Amino acid sequence: MTRATGPSPVVELFIDGVRTRAAAGQTIAALLIALDAHAWGRVPEAESRRARCGIGTCNDCVVTVDGVPRVKACLMPVQQGMQILTRRKVS
Ligand code: FES
């Protein structure tokens, strides 16, 4: 039996205010890496934020999604209209 395959549905969303498109179902971390953002945001006392474990255990990939802070980018699939903030102010 052959499964019908085709292009993945595309969603539009915003990363730090910039409109972008992504394949529905991919994670925010996968999208950021595909966009060549291998590190996103910084915290004053630590290294750059990025996907490290990729399985939801290290907390190093957190972003803000639709105003909700500390969302794990490696676990959250992109959705239509999502507002993702990757940067934290460093004082
Ligand atoms: S990369 Fe470790 S929790 Fe997301």
Side-chain angles (χ1 to χ4, degrees), residues 29 50-62 72-75:
R50 67 183 65 162
R52 291 192 194 277
C53 72
I55 58 172
T57 60
C58 74
N59 293 321
D60 279 356
C61 66
V62 293
K72 294 180 179 181
C74 67
L75 298 181

Side-chain angles (χ1 to χ4, degrees), residues 13-18 28-29 31-33 35 37-43 47-50 60-66 68 70-71 73 83-90:
L13 60 147
F14 298 86
I15 299 175
D16 297 324
V18 177
I28 294 170
L31 172 60
L32 290 170
I33 292 168
L35 294 173
H38 296 286
W40 48 90
R42 297 186 69 82
V43 291
E47 298 175 29
S48 300
R49 294 232 180 254
R50 67 183 65 162
D60 279 356
C61 66
V62 293
V63 294
T64 298
V65 177
D66 295 334
V68 178
R70 303 195 55 76
V71 174
Q83 301 274 345
I84 301 164
L85 298 177
T86 65
R87 303 221 185 337
R88 262 180 80 172
K89 288 184 179 174
V90 178

